[in-house]
Amino acid sequence: MAAAWPSGPAALDTVTVRLLGVLWFASVTTGPWGAAAAGGEEPPKCEDLKVGQYICKDPKISDATQEPVNCTNYTAHVECFPAPKIICKDFSGNETHFTGHEVGFLKPISCRNVNGYSYKVAVALSLFLGWLGADRFYLGYPALGLLKFCTVGFCGIGSLIDFILISMQGLKVLSFIRSPER
C-alpha cells in the first residue's frame, strides 16, 4: 500500500521537511562535499584554467623582426600566472596553491615567423622604391614586383596600399601563407 500524504496545516510542514531532506541529500552526494567524500576530485591542470583565472604576460618583441623573441615553428610561449588562491597542477603535475606570483604554465600563441626578412628594410623599400616593385621583390613576390615595375606602382595607388600593408605587417603574413618553408 502506498504511503498517504498527510492533510492539513501540519501536512505542509511535513512535505516541506521531506522535500528539504531530499534536496539536502542530493546536494551532499553530488555537490563539492559529495565529491570530496567520495574520494575527492583532482584539481585541473593549470593549462585548463578558464579565462579570468589566470593572466599572461605580453611576449617580448624583437625590434628587428617585430615578432616574439622565442618564436619557433610559428608558435611562441608566454608565461601565465594563475590568480591567487587557485589550486591546479603545475608543469610537473604537482598540486600547487598559487599566490598570483608563480608561473603556472606557458601558453602557446601564434606568431608570424619572418624567416630572415627585416621589417625595417621592407618598410624602407616600400616607402622609397615601392613604385618600382622593390618591396614585392624583397618579400618574395617577383611576379607582382614586375607588374608594379611595369605599371609604376599601379599608378601610385598600389604603392600606397603596399606601404600600408607592410607597415601594419599584413603583407608579411600573406608571404608566409603562400610559402611557409622559406
Side-chain angles (χ1 to χ4, degrees):
M1 178 191 254
W5 285 93
S7 61
L12 186 57
D13 290 337
T14 306
V15 170
T16 303
V17 168
R18 285 182 184 172
L19 183 61
L20 286 175
V22 169
L23 290 175
W24 175 83
F25 180 75
S27 68
V28 167
T29 56
T30 61
W33 304 284
E41 190 174 309
E42 289 189 20
K45 291 182 181 177
C46 291
E47 303 87 51
D48 297 336
L49 291 176
K50 295 180 177 137
V51 175
Q53 293 181 321
Y54 63 90
I55 188 165
C56 297
K57 279 186 167 182
D58 291 330
K60 185 176 179 186
I61 304 295
S62 168
D63 291 331
T65 62
Q66 298 297 306
E67 299 296 333
V69 173
N70 61 354
C71 183
T72 55
N73 296 329
Y74 303 103
T75 304
H77 295 353
V78 293
E79 296 177 336
C80 294
F81 301 88
K85 299 183 181 177
I86 292 286
I87 301 171
C88 62
K89 290 187 176 183
D90 61 6
F91 300 113
S92 57
N94 297 327
E95 185 176 314
T96 307
H97 300 266
F98 289 93
T99 63
H101 301 291
E102 304 93 356
V103 176
F105 62 99
L106 298 175
K107 181 179 181 181
I109 58 169
S110 63
C111 60
R112 298 171 288 191
N113 193 342
V114 295
N115 292 329
Y117 294 125
S118 170
Y119 173 73
K120 292 178 183 178
V121 170
V123 170
L125 285 173
S126 182
L127 181 63
F128 298 113
L129 298 173
W131 58 278
L132 292 174
D135 53 349
R136 291 288 186 154
F137 282 114
Y138 177 72
L139 291 173
Y141 293 103
L144 290 173
L146 185 61
L147 188 60
K148 270 180 78 174
F149 177 77
C150 293
T151 60
V152 188
F154 301 112
C155 299
I157 295 171
S159 297
L160 177 64
I161 291 171
D162 279 352
F163 177 72
I164 292 169
L165 286 174
I166 291 171
S167 296
M168 293 174 46
Q169 299 182 3
L171 194 55
K172 281 195 308 187
V173 173
L174 294 176
S175 68
F176 296 113
I177 290 172
R178 183 181 61 81
S179 60
E181 68 277 353
R182 288 187 82 195

mmCIF file of all heavy atoms in Angstrom, residues 111-147:
data_model
loop_
_atom_site.group_PDB
_atom_site.id
_atom_site.type_symbol
_atom_site.label_atom_id
_atom_site.label_comp_id
_atom_site.label_asym_id
_atom_site.label_seq_id
_atom_site.Cartn_x
_atom_site.Cartn_y
_atom_site.Cartn_z
ATOM 1 N N CYS A 111 52.600 33.075 -33.897
ATOM 2 C CA CYS A 111 53.411 34.216 -34.321
ATOM 3 C C CYS A 111 53.747 34.042 -35.788
ATOM 4 O O CYS A 111 53.697 32.938 -36.325
ATOM 5 C CB CYS A 111 54.671 34.340 -33.468
ATOM 6 S SG CYS A 111 55.775 32.929 -33.526
ATOM 7 N N ARG A 112 54.065 35.129 -36.383
ATOM 8 C CA ARG A 112 54.418 35.111 -37.796
ATOM 9 C C ARG A 112 55.932 35.113 -37.885
ATOM 10 O O ARG A 112 56.576 36.128 -37.662
ATOM 11 C CB ARG A 112 53.834 36.326 -38.503
ATOM 12 C CG ARG A 112 52.327 36.340 -38.454
ATOM 13 C CD ARG A 112 51.813 37.637 -38.945
ATOM 14 N NE ARG A 112 52.105 38.640 -37.919
ATOM 15 C CZ ARG A 112 51.622 39.845 -37.908
ATOM 16 N NH1 ARG A 112 50.841 40.235 -38.865
ATOM 17 N NH2 ARG A 112 51.926 40.686 -36.960
ATOM 18 N N ASN A 113 56.493 33.989 -38.167
ATOM 19 C CA ASN A 113 57.938 33.862 -38.254
ATOM 20 C C ASN A 113 58.396 34.540 -39.540
ATOM 21 O O ASN A 113 57.970 34.182 -40.621
ATOM 22 C CB ASN A 113 58.317 32.383 -38.252
ATOM 23 C CG ASN A 113 59.770 32.174 -38.026
ATOM 24 O OD1 ASN A 113 60.567 33.079 -38.197
ATOM 25 N ND2 ASN A 113 60.127 30.968 -37.640
ATOM 26 N N VAL A 114 59.286 35.525 -39.417
ATOM 27 C CA VAL A 114 59.672 36.318 -40.581
ATOM 28 C C VAL A 114 60.731 35.649 -41.432
ATOM 29 O O VAL A 114 60.975 36.092 -42.548
ATOM 30 C CB VAL A 114 60.135 37.729 -40.164
ATOM 31 C CG1 VAL A 114 59.000 38.493 -39.567
ATOM 32 C CG2 VAL A 114 61.297 37.672 -39.228
ATOM 33 N N ASN A 115 61.377 34.615 -40.926
ATOM 34 C CA ASN A 115 62.337 33.825 -41.698
ATOM 35 C C ASN A 115 63.366 34.656 -42.461
ATOM 36 O O ASN A 115 63.591 34.458 -43.641
ATOM 37 C CB ASN A 115 61.604 32.910 -42.681
ATOM 38 C CG ASN A 115 60.838 31.842 -41.979
ATOM 39 O OD1 ASN A 115 61.240 31.397 -40.915
ATOM 40 N ND2 ASN A 115 59.731 31.437 -42.544
ATOM 41 N N GLY A 116 63.960 35.617 -41.812
ATOM 42 C CA GLY A 116 65.056 36.359 -42.416
ATOM 43 C C GLY A 116 64.678 37.689 -43.025
ATOM 44 O O GLY A 116 65.556 38.477 -43.354
ATOM 45 N N TYR A 117 63.412 37.976 -43.215
ATOM 46 C CA TYR A 117 63.028 39.274 -43.752
ATOM 47 C C TYR A 117 63.117 40.313 -42.650
ATOM 48 O O TYR A 117 62.674 40.087 -41.535
ATOM 49 C CB TYR A 117 61.589 39.270 -44.285
ATOM 50 C CG TYR A 117 61.378 38.391 -45.489
ATOM 51 C CD1 TYR A 117 60.414 37.415 -45.493
ATOM 52 C CD2 TYR A 117 62.149 38.556 -46.631
ATOM 53 C CE1 TYR A 117 60.208 36.612 -46.584
ATOM 54 C CE2 TYR A 117 61.951 37.751 -47.728
ATOM 55 C CZ TYR A 117 60.983 36.795 -47.709
ATOM 56 O OH TYR A 117 60.795 35.995 -48.797
ATOM 57 N N SER A 118 63.676 41.450 -42.958
ATOM 58 C CA SER A 118 63.766 42.535 -41.987
ATOM 59 C C SER A 118 62.573 43.465 -42.174
ATOM 60 O O SER A 118 62.304 43.935 -43.282
ATOM 61 C CB SER A 118 65.066 43.307 -42.169
ATOM 62 O OG SER A 118 65.044 44.487 -41.402
ATOM 63 N N TYR A 119 61.885 43.738 -41.088
ATOM 64 C CA TYR A 119 60.736 44.636 -41.125
ATOM 65 C C TYR A 119 61.154 46.045 -41.572
ATOM 66 O O TYR A 119 60.509 46.660 -42.408
ATOM 67 C CB TYR A 119 60.091 44.665 -39.742
ATOM 68 C CG TYR A 119 59.000 45.682 -39.584
ATOM 69 C CD1 TYR A 119 57.756 45.486 -40.177
ATOM 70 C CD2 TYR A 119 59.196 46.840 -38.841
ATOM 71 C CE1 TYR A 119 56.748 46.410 -40.033
ATOM 72 C CE2 TYR A 119 58.193 47.764 -38.690
ATOM 73 C CZ TYR A 119 56.969 47.546 -39.289
ATOM 74 O OH TYR A 119 55.981 48.466 -39.145
ATOM 75 N N LYS A 120 62.277 46.528 -41.036
ATOM 76 C CA LYS A 120 62.737 47.887 -41.371
ATOM 77 C C LYS A 120 63.118 48.003 -42.838
ATOM 78 O O LYS A 120 62.803 49.000 -43.488
ATOM 79 C CB LYS A 120 63.915 48.273 -40.481
ATOM 80 C CG LYS A 120 63.532 48.456 -39.030
ATOM 81 C CD LYS A 120 64.738 48.779 -38.180
ATOM 82 C CE LYS A 120 64.337 48.892 -36.721
ATOM 83 N NZ LYS A 120 65.486 49.155 -35.857
ATOM 84 N N VAL A 121 63.770 46.989 -43.380
ATOM 85 C CA VAL A 121 64.154 47.012 -44.796
ATOM 86 C C VAL A 121 62.912 46.992 -45.680
ATOM 87 O O VAL A 121 62.825 47.727 -46.670
ATOM 88 C CB VAL A 121 65.096 45.830 -45.127
ATOM 89 C CG1 VAL A 121 65.307 45.703 -46.632
ATOM 90 C CG2 VAL A 121 66.423 46.001 -44.416
ATOM 91 N N ALA A 122 61.939 46.158 -45.332
ATOM 92 C CA ALA A 122 60.711 46.077 -46.134
ATOM 93 C C ALA A 122 59.966 47.402 -46.135
ATOM 94 O O ALA A 122 59.472 47.843 -47.179
ATOM 95 C CB ALA A 122 59.816 44.958 -45.607
ATOM 96 N N VAL A 123 59.885 48.077 -44.987
ATOM 97 C CA VAL A 123 59.207 49.377 -44.923
ATOM 98 C C VAL A 123 59.975 50.415 -45.729
ATOM 99 O O VAL A 123 59.386 51.203 -46.477
ATOM 100 C CB VAL A 123 59.019 49.824 -43.456
ATOM 101 C CG1 VAL A 123 58.557 51.270 -43.382
ATOM 102 C CG2 VAL A 123 58.025 48.931 -42.747
ATOM 103 N N ALA A 124 61.306 50.423 -45.617
ATOM 104 C CA ALA A 124 62.116 51.402 -46.363
ATOM 105 C C ALA A 124 61.984 51.178 -47.862
ATOM 106 O O ALA A 124 61.823 52.148 -48.633
ATOM 107 C CB ALA A 124 63.574 51.311 -45.925
ATOM 108 N N LEU A 125 62.043 49.930 -48.300
ATOM 109 C CA LEU A 125 61.879 49.648 -49.730
ATOM 110 C C LEU A 125 60.500 50.056 -50.220
ATOM 111 O O LEU A 125 60.360 50.602 -51.320
ATOM 112 C CB LEU A 125 62.114 48.162 -50.005
ATOM 113 C CG LEU A 125 63.560 47.690 -49.975
ATOM 114 C CD1 LEU A 125 63.616 46.170 -50.099
ATOM 115 C CD2 LEU A 125 64.362 48.332 -51.100
ATOM 116 N N SER A 126 59.493 49.811 -49.422
ATOM 117 C CA SER A 126 58.141 50.171 -49.820
ATOM 118 C C SER A 126 57.968 51.677 -49.907
ATOM 119 O O SER A 126 57.314 52.181 -50.817
ATOM 120 C CB SER A 126 57.133 49.578 -48.832
ATOM 121 O OG SER A 126 55.820 49.879 -49.243
ATOM 122 N N LEU A 127 58.567 52.398 -48.983
ATOM 123 C CA LEU A 127 58.437 53.852 -48.957
ATOM 124 C C LEU A 127 59.181 54.511 -50.113
ATOM 125 O O LEU A 127 58.627 55.370 -50.808
ATOM 126 C CB LEU A 127 58.943 54.393 -47.619
ATOM 127 C CG LEU A 127 58.855 55.903 -47.425
ATOM 128 C CD1 LEU A 127 57.395 56.352 -47.456
ATOM 129 C CD2 LEU A 127 59.501 56.299 -46.104
ATOM 130 N N PHE A 128 60.430 54.104 -50.348
ATOM 131 C CA PHE A 128 61.255 54.801 -51.338
ATOM 132 C C PHE A 128 61.245 54.170 -52.719
ATOM 133 O O PHE A 128 61.332 54.885 -53.722
ATOM 134 C CB PHE A 128 62.698 54.910 -50.826
ATOM 135 C CG PHE A 128 62.806 55.713 -49.560
ATOM 136 C CD1 PHE A 128 63.179 55.109 -48.381
ATOM 137 C CD2 PHE A 128 62.502 57.071 -49.547
ATOM 138 C CE1 PHE A 128 63.267 55.838 -47.208
ATOM 139 C CE2 PHE A 128 62.584 57.811 -48.381
ATOM 140 C CZ PHE A 128 62.962 57.194 -47.203
ATOM 141 N N LEU A 129 61.129 52.841 -52.811
ATOM 142 C CA LEU A 129 61.185 52.170 -54.113
ATOM 143 C C LEU A 129 59.959 51.305 -54.383
ATOM 144 O O LEU A 129 60.004 50.428 -55.239
ATOM 145 C CB LEU A 129 62.457 51.307 -54.199
ATOM 146 C CG LEU A 129 63.785 52.066 -54.095
ATOM 147 C CD1 LEU A 129 64.934 51.092 -54.021
ATOM 148 C CD2 LEU A 129 63.950 53.015 -55.255
ATOM 149 N N GLY A 130 58.884 51.565 -53.657
ATOM 150 C CA GLY A 130 57.672 50.784 -53.845
ATOM 151 C C GLY A 130 57.078 50.946 -55.227
ATOM 152 O O GLY A 130 56.496 50.007 -55.772
ATOM 153 N N TRP A 131 57.225 52.121 -55.823
ATOM 154 C CA TRP A 131 56.678 52.354 -57.164
ATOM 155 C C TRP A 131 57.421 51.542 -58.217
ATOM 156 O O TRP A 131 56.909 51.330 -59.313
ATOM 157 C CB TRP A 131 56.695 53.850 -57.495
ATOM 158 C CG TRP A 131 58.062 54.468 -57.427
ATOM 159 C CD1 TRP A 131 58.706 54.908 -56.326
ATOM 160 C CD2 TRP A 131 58.925 54.687 -58.525
ATOM 161 N NE1 TRP A 131 59.941 55.387 -56.657
ATOM 162 C CE2 TRP A 131 60.090 55.273 -58.015
ATOM 163 C CE3 TRP A 131 58.838 54.453 -59.898
ATOM 164 C CZ2 TRP A 131 61.157 55.616 -58.812
ATOM 165 C CZ3 TRP A 131 59.900 54.811 -60.702
ATOM 166 C CH2 TRP A 131 61.060 55.388 -60.156
ATOM 167 N N LEU A 132 58.630 51.020 -57.863
ATOM 168 C CA LEU A 132 59.368 50.147 -58.768
ATOM 169 C C LEU A 132 59.162 48.668 -58.442
ATOM 170 O O LEU A 132 59.711 47.811 -59.117
ATOM 171 C CB LEU A 132 60.870 50.467 -58.695
ATOM 172 C CG LEU A 132 61.280 51.831 -59.246
ATOM 173 C CD1 LEU A 132 62.749 52.081 -58.974
ATOM 174 C CD2 LEU A 132 60.996 51.906 -60.736
ATOM 175 N N GLY A 133 58.419 48.363 -57.378
ATOM 176 C CA GLY A 133 58.141 46.980 -57.006
ATOM 177 C C GLY A 133 59.236 46.333 -56.174
ATOM 178 O O GLY A 133 59.214 45.120 -55.967
ATOM 179 N N ALA A 134 60.180 47.119 -55.657
ATOM 180 C CA ALA A 134 61.304 46.557 -54.896
ATOM 181 C C ALA A 134 60.826 45.848 -53.628
ATOM 182 O O ALA A 134 61.396 44.829 -53.236
ATOM 183 C CB ALA A 134 62.300 47.663 -54.545
ATOM 184 N N ASP A 135 59.780 46.375 -53.007
ATOM 185 C CA ASP A 135 59.269 45.738 -51.790
ATOM 186 C C ASP A 135 58.711 44.353 -52.091
ATOM 187 O O ASP A 135 58.912 43.402 -51.331
ATOM 188 C CB ASP A 135 58.221 46.624 -51.122
ATOM 189 C CG ASP A 135 57.100 47.051 -52.065
ATOM 190 O OD1 ASP A 135 57.220 46.847 -53.295
ATOM 191 O OD2 ASP A 135 56.098 47.604 -51.582
ATOM 192 N N ARG A 136 58.008 44.220 -53.208
ATOM 193 C CA ARG A 136 57.443 42.912 -53.570
ATOM 194 C C ARG A 136 58.540 41.918 -53.952
ATOM 195 O O ARG A 136 58.463 40.745 -53.603
ATOM 196 C CB ARG A 136 56.458 43.059 -54.730
ATOM 197 C CG ARG A 136 55.184 43.778 -54.374
ATOM 198 C CD ARG A 136 54.326 42.914 -53.502
ATOM 199 N NE ARG A 136 53.037 43.533 -53.277
ATOM 200 C CZ ARG A 136 51.944 42.873 -53.005
ATOM 201 N NH1 ARG A 136 51.966 41.565 -52.913
ATOM 202 N NH2 ARG A 136 50.821 43.500 -52.798
ATOM 203 N N PHE A 137 59.568 42.387 -54.640
ATOM 204 C CA PHE A 137 60.692 41.503 -54.949
ATOM 205 C C PHE A 137 61.358 41.028 -53.661
ATOM 206 O O PHE A 137 61.676 39.853 -53.517
ATOM 207 C CB PHE A 137 61.736 42.217 -55.826
ATOM 208 C CG PHE A 137 61.355 42.300 -57.277
ATOM 209 C CD1 PHE A 137 61.085 43.511 -57.868
ATOM 210 C CD2 PHE A 137 61.285 41.152 -58.058
ATOM 211 C CE1 PHE A 137 60.741 43.591 -59.200
ATOM 212 C CE2 PHE A 137 60.944 41.219 -59.400
ATOM 213 C CZ PHE A 137 60.671 42.448 -59.972
ATOM 214 N N TYR A 138 61.568 41.942 -52.731
ATOM 215 C CA TYR A 138 62.227 41.611 -51.472
ATOM 216 C C TYR A 138 61.431 40.586 -50.669
ATOM 217 O O TYR A 138 62.013 39.686 -50.071
ATOM 218 C CB TYR A 138 62.434 42.884 -50.640
ATOM 219 C CG TYR A 138 63.054 42.629 -49.288
ATOM 220 C CD1 TYR A 138 64.388 42.266 -49.171
ATOM 221 C CD2 TYR A 138 62.305 42.743 -48.130
ATOM 222 C CE1 TYR A 138 64.958 42.021 -47.946
ATOM 223 C CE2 TYR A 138 62.865 42.496 -46.889
ATOM 224 C CZ TYR A 138 64.194 42.136 -46.799
ATOM 225 O OH TYR A 138 64.749 41.895 -45.575
ATOM 226 N N LEU A 139 60.114 40.714 -50.639
ATOM 227 C CA LEU A 139 59.278 39.815 -49.838
ATOM 228 C C LEU A 139 58.934 38.513 -50.563
ATOM 229 O O LEU A 139 58.215 37.684 -50.026
ATOM 230 C CB LEU A 139 57.995 40.525 -49.407
ATOM 231 C CG LEU A 139 58.204 41.642 -48.389
ATOM 232 C CD1 LEU A 139 56.916 42.394 -48.139
ATOM 233 C CD2 LEU A 139 58.746 41.083 -47.092
ATOM 234 N N GLY A 140 59.442 38.335 -51.783
ATOM 235 C CA GLY A 140 59.260 37.051 -52.455
ATOM 236 C C GLY A 140 58.090 36.989 -53.410
ATOM 237 O O GLY A 140 57.564 35.903 -53.663
ATOM 238 N N TYR A 141 57.689 38.131 -53.937
ATOM 239 C CA TYR A 141 56.618 38.184 -54.944
ATOM 240 C C TYR A 141 57.189 38.744 -56.251
ATOM 241 O O TYR A 141 56.898 39.882 -56.636
ATOM 242 C CB TYR A 141 55.487 39.101 -54.487
ATOM 243 C CG TYR A 141 54.705 38.618 -53.309
ATOM 244 C CD1 TYR A 141 54.911 39.156 -52.051
ATOM 245 C CD2 TYR A 141 53.738 37.626 -53.454
ATOM 246 C CE1 TYR A 141 54.179 38.730 -50.968
ATOM 247 C CE2 TYR A 141 53.003 37.195 -52.370
ATOM 248 C CZ TYR A 141 53.227 37.748 -51.135
ATOM 249 O OH TYR A 141 52.502 37.322 -50.072
ATOM 250 N N PRO A 142 57.989 37.981 -56.983
ATOM 251 C CA PRO A 142 58.615 38.544 -58.179
ATOM 252 C C PRO A 142 57.612 38.924 -59.272
ATOM 253 O O PRO A 142 57.798 39.936 -59.961
ATOM 254 C CB PRO A 142 59.572 37.450 -58.648
ATOM 255 C CG PRO A 142 59.086 36.202 -58.007
ATOM 256 C CD PRO A 142 58.406 36.607 -56.744
ATOM 257 N N ALA A 143 56.550 38.160 -59.444
ATOM 258 C CA ALA A 143 55.569 38.487 -60.487
ATOM 259 C C ALA A 143 54.865 39.803 -60.168
ATOM 260 O O ALA A 143 54.697 40.659 -61.056
ATOM 261 C CB ALA A 143 54.556 37.358 -60.628
ATOM 262 N N LEU A 144 54.442 39.990 -58.911
ATOM 263 C CA LEU A 144 53.798 41.248 -58.540
ATOM 264 C C LEU A 144 54.789 42.400 -58.543
ATOM 265 O O LEU A 144 54.429 43.544 -58.856
ATOM 266 C CB LEU A 144 53.132 41.122 -57.177
ATOM 267 C CG LEU A 144 51.893 40.235 -57.148
ATOM 268 C CD1 LEU A 144 51.405 40.047 -55.724
ATOM 269 C CD2 LEU A 144 50.802 40.831 -58.003
ATOM 270 N N GLY A 145 56.052 42.107 -58.206
ATOM 271 C CA GLY A 145 57.086 43.142 -58.280
ATOM 272 C C GLY A 145 57.273 43.623 -59.711
ATOM 273 O O GLY A 145 57.391 44.826 -59.966
ATOM 274 N N LEU A 146 57.299 42.688 -60.653
ATOM 275 C CA LEU A 146 57.436 43.046 -62.065
ATOM 276 C C LEU A 146 56.210 43.814 -62.556
ATOM 277 O O LEU A 146 56.340 44.800 -63.301
ATOM 278 C CB LEU A 146 57.654 41.777 -62.904
ATOM 279 C CG LEU A 146 57.926 41.987 -64.388
ATOM 280 C CD1 LEU A 146 59.196 42.811 -64.586
ATOM 281 C CD2 LEU A 146 58.054 40.654 -65.094
ATOM 282 N N LEU A 147 55.039 43.403 -62.123
ATOM 283 C CA LEU A 147 53.809 44.105 -62.509
ATOM 284 C C LEU A 147 53.793 45.532 -61.948
ATOM 285 O O LEU A 147 53.411 46.473 -62.642
ATOM 286 C CB LEU A 147 52.590 43.326 -62.022
ATOM 287 C CG LEU A 147 51.225 43.818 -62.490
ATOM 288 C CD1 LEU A 147 51.133 43.777 -64.015
ATOM 289 C CD2 LEU A 147 50.128 42.980 -61.882
#
